[in-house]
């Protein structure tokens, strides 16, 4: 089954304790992205990657890191989480084809609470 | 001003009603447009892409007006299962998708 998986789905942590949210897709997509969703603000892009070893900042990259060592994986790293990073996080992937209208496939989401 | 703006709703409509959502975008360089559907606490899923000539998929019709920079979604014969939040999305000449904050639809019996 074609899918994007994220782990963990729920996480409660404390300020300053480093954490990683994993994201993996099995569709051989070139493009992967991380979003956070907050009430009244909608989905905002954190980082994206157009292919292996290529990453770029989105709209709200501060406090986050990513890496793209393999095509299928795109982990999100919070080196020193703070309470303002409490949010619902989505990973997404799509083909990288500028000709067609690309559908982004989203993972199920990770609900993070930072105390 | 937000790049993509939507009326947050909620739109409360009875089953069988026709409902329309509008969305405006500020970047005239935006090239592709989409409607995504998001159920409560779930991931967004593509409902339909929006083509310049307008397009229809069953009970759903999407229209694009480049001159006025707005996109619309029309849902005919609403079903209870249509209750969700509808996200308007614009894609510029970069590879970034800009999401609206969503319009909530509640269909009641």
């Amino acid at each position: 089954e074609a899918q994007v998986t994220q782990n963990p789905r729920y996480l409660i942590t404390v300020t300053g304790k480093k954490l990683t949210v994993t994201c993996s897709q099995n569709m051989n997509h070139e493009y992967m992205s991380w979003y956070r969703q907050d009430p009244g603000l909608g989905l905002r892009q954190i980082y994206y990657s157009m292919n292996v070893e290529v990453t770029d900042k989105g709209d709200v990259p501060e406090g986050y890191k990513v890496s793209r060592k393999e095509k299928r994986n795109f982990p999100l790293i919070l080196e020193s989480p703070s309470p303002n990073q409490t949010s619902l996080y989505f990973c997404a992937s799509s083909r990288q084809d500028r000709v067609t209208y690309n559908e982004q496939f989203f993972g199920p989401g990770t609900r993070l609470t930072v105390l | 001003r937000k790049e993509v703006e939507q009326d947050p709703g909620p739109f409360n409509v009875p089953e069988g009603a026709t409902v329309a959502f509008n969305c405006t975008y500020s970047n005239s360089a935006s090239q592709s447009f989409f409607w995504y559907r998001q159920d409560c606490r779930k991931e967004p899923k593509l409902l339909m892409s929006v083509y310049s000539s307008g397009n229809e998929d069953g009970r759903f019709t999407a229209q694009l007006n480049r001159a006025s920079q707005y996109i619309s979604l029309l849902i005919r014969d609403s079903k209870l299962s249509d209750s969700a939040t509808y996200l308007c999305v614009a894609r510029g000449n970069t590879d970034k998708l800009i999401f609206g904050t969503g319009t909530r639809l509640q269909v009641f019996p």
Side-chain angles (χ1 to χ4, degrees), chain B residues 3-67:
Chain B
E3 286 193 61
V4 175
E5 293 208 62
Q6 297 182 249
D7 182 340
F11 284 61
N12 296 306
V13 302
E15 274 187 290
T18 295
V19 61
F21 308 137
N22 286 331
C23 162
T24 58
Y25 61 95
S26 60
N27 185 354
S28 59
S30 296
Q31 297 182 346
S32 308
F33 305 91
F34 312 88
W35 284 101
Y36 276 72
R37 171 194 168 127
Q38 185 174 25
D39 294 293
C40 189
R41 298 177 179 273
K42 296 285 186 71
E43 72 272 24
K45 293 184 179 179
L46 181 67
L47 178 66
M48 56 197 306
S49 301
V50 185
Y51 303 121
S52 297
S53 55
N55 48 301
E56 188 174 307
D57 183 2
R59 298 181 293 107
F60 299 85
T61 300
Q63 295 273 351
L64 167 62
N65 184 318
R66 285 193 184 274

Side-chain angles (χ1 to χ4, degrees), chain A:
Chain A
E1 181 191 354
Q3 60 182 351
V4 179
T5 56
Q6 293 178 229
N7 281 293
R9 295 287 314 279
Y10 303 91
L11 178 61
I12 300 175
T13 189
V14 295
T15 299
K17 186 175 181 182
K18 180 180 178 179
L19 66 93
T20 299
V21 184
T22 64
C23 172
S24 184
Q25 51 94 3
N26 62 0
M27 295 169 279
N28 202 35
H29 285 164
E30 295 86 4
Y31 185 94
M32 297 186 75
S33 182
W34 275 103
Y35 297 88
R36 60 179 288 175
Q37 187 173 34
D38 302 288
L41 296 176
L43 277 157
R44 293 179 293 166
Q45 192 176 50
I46 303 170
Y47 269 96
Y48 65 97
S49 169
M50 293 173 64
N51 216 322
V52 175
E53 301 292 0
V54 180
T55 62
D56 279 296
K57 295 178 181 178
D59 295 315
V60 287
E62 294 78 21
Y64 304 94
K65 285 174 57 178
V66 293
S67 68
R68 189 90 182 274
K69 294 185 171 59
E70 307 162 282
K71 198 172 188 179
R72 63 182 293 129
N73 296 324
F74 191 44
L76 179 70
I77 303 153
L78 285 72
E79 294 270 4
S80 183
S82 62
N84 65 12
Q85 293 179 296
T86 293
S87 188
L88 178 59
Y89 290 86
F90 288 105
C91 180
S93 74
S94 69
R95 285 176 51 200
Q96 188 56 29
D97 182 346
R98 289 171 188 262
V99 176
T100 61
Y101 295 90
N102 299 321
E103 175 179 0
Q104 291 225 337
F105 294 84
F106 284 81
T110 295
R111 187 164 292 279
L112 172 66
T113 302
V114 183
L115 302 174

Side-chain angles (χ1 to χ4, degrees), chain B residues 73-95:
Chain B
L73 177 67
L74 183 77
I75 305 175
R76 289 180 298 279
D77 189 23
S78 298
K79 312 289 185 192
L80 294 175
S81 57
D82 293 333
S83 297
T85 297
Y86 291 83
L87 306 175
C88 176
V89 186
R91 181 172 187 156
N93 52 2
T94 64
D95 293 293

